[in-house]
Amino acid sequence: MSRVGIVTDSTCDLGPTVLAGLDVRMVPLKVLFGEETFLDWVELEPDAFMEKLISSPTLPKTSQPSPANFLETYTELAEQGCDSIVSIHLSAALSGTMTSALMAAENSPVPVYCVDTKTLTLALGLVVRAAVEARDAGLDGPAIAARAEEVSSSMTFYFLLDTLDYLVKGGRAGKAQGLAASVLGIKPVLTVNAEGIIEPFKKVKGRKRGIAEIVAKVAADSESKGKLRAAILYASLPDRGKELHDEIVASGATVDFVPDGHVGAVIGTYAGPGAIGIGYYPL
């Protein structure tokens, strides 16, 4: 019987404990505060990161894993008996991580099927979870990769930021670059388009109105597409994630929630404190 390894990167924001339980290998990105370098989720956990982010006079930088980092993981999985690997990553439009994975795949001792999910954070985590379900159902590498592609293509992701400053300064604002959001309490609700690029969804007055817009969209999609599987994410303020969760439940939307989760250091660098969001796809 074939054994398929599943690899992802740290921006799935599932964290080492959850990933270990899923039997998924994670290759971490890096966060750089001046001369200090930390491995995302490994050497810098979310709460500690947010403390450093808020107190830092300059925005930290992030760095993708190298092809060598991926090749080391692929080789270890091959040595452990995997005859193929599915490697699932954040949008190539936002990071060079996918490129590193593809370069490493060329030298892997076993076939590697790389999937650009064109999304990020816990929406990427949902794709990883779907791949795990496919693996545990006995599918082979190509079929697991196909399932990951299928879920990726049906994924919807919305997020609400307290400010666009972190996203713009970090160079990841995409089509939201020119959105004026730091005046008069305007909060940007953003999404990720089919190319994996961040773009505006709606500009609203205040966080509660932003949550209402997201909830309305989830409820409408639940009505038109059927039951959804969803993951709610938050940066530094879990109560905001719970607020979004409770509002969606109250809306009557039919949603299967995986546990809410904290964004890690790499995603938090661009989201900033107080961000919330949801990724979901139809079951």
Side-chain angles (χ1 to χ4, degrees):
M1 183 176 176
S2 67
R3 183 180 173 201
V4 183
I6 297 179
V7 176
T8 189
D9 61 75
S10 59
T11 67
C12 71
D13 286 339
L14 293 176
T17 301
V18 171
L19 290 169
L22 295 171
D23 190 20
V24 173
R25 291 290 299 271
M26 181 263 278
V27 179
L29 281 75
K30 302 180 185 72
V31 179
L32 298 83
F33 282 92
E35 298 300 314
E36 292 183 290
T37 300
F38 302 91
L39 295 176
D40 187 22
W41 278 102
V42 177
E43 298 173 339
L44 191 58
E45 295 191 347
D47 288 336
F49 165 74
M50 277 298 169
E51 288 180 14
K52 286 181 74 67
L53 179 69
I54 292 167
S55 62
S56 176
T58 58
L59 188 72
K61 297 184 181 193
T62 61
S63 175
Q64 70 209 41
S66 69
N69 296 144
F70 279 108
L71 184 57
E72 180 181 3
T73 299
Y74 298 159
T75 301
E76 287 175 0
L77 286 171
E79 290 172 349
Q80 291 166 11
C82 292
D83 51 26
S84 66
I85 295 166
V86 179
S87 203
I88 305 168
H89 303 292
L90 85 159
S91 172
L94 300 175
S95 168
T97 300
M98 180 70 176
T99 299
S100 289
L102 287 166
M103 291 174 68
E106 294 178 0
N107 297 304
S108 172
V110 297
V112 179
Y113 305 95
C114 294
V115 178
D116 177 3
T117 64
K118 296 182 170 62
T119 192
L120 64 159
T121 187
L122 288 181
L124 164 57
L126 285 173
V127 181
V128 172
R129 289 178 184 274
V132 168
E133 290 177 354
R135 178 200 64 197
D136 294 349
L139 274 64
D140 62 10
I144 294 169
R147 176 58 179 157
E149 295 276 9
E150 179 186 26
V151 171
S152 298
S153 66
S154 64
M155 186 69 65
T156 302
F157 181 46
Y158 294 107
F159 57 110
L160 177 66
L161 304 180
D162 267 0
T163 173
L164 268 176
D165 289 350
Y166 293 95
L167 200 62
V168 172
K169 289 176 182 175
R172 299 298 193 278
K175 295 181 180 180
Q177 179 76 31
L179 187 63
S182 298
V183 294
L184 303 176
I186 296 296
K187 302 290 184 188
V189 180
L190 305 174
T191 188
V192 178
N193 65 22
E195 288 74 48
I197 297 168
I198 293 170
E199 65 181 19
F201 171 61
K202 281 199 175 173
K203 195 163 59 170
V204 297
K205 186 74 177 288
R207 179 172 56 84
K208 288 193 176 295
R209 186 60 197 162
I211 288 175
E213 291 287 353
I214 294 173
V215 170
K217 191 66 172 68
V218 174
D221 283 349
S222 169
E223 185 172 353
S224 65
K225 300 176 182 178
K227 189 173 186 179
L228 308 173
R229 178 162 290 163
I232 287 175
L233 57 109
Y234 56 86
S236 73
L237 298 172
D239 286 351
R240 291 192 179 183
K242 184 177 185 303
E243 179 183 5
L244 178 57
H245 180 282
D246 292 348
E247 291 287 341
I248 291 170
V249 171
S251 76
T254 307
V255 181
D256 171 30
F257 287 100
V258 303
D260 298 356
H262 204 316
V263 302
V266 168
I267 298 299
T269 294
Y270 305 105
I276 54 172
I278 181 169
Y280 61 90
Y281 67 97
L283 285 171

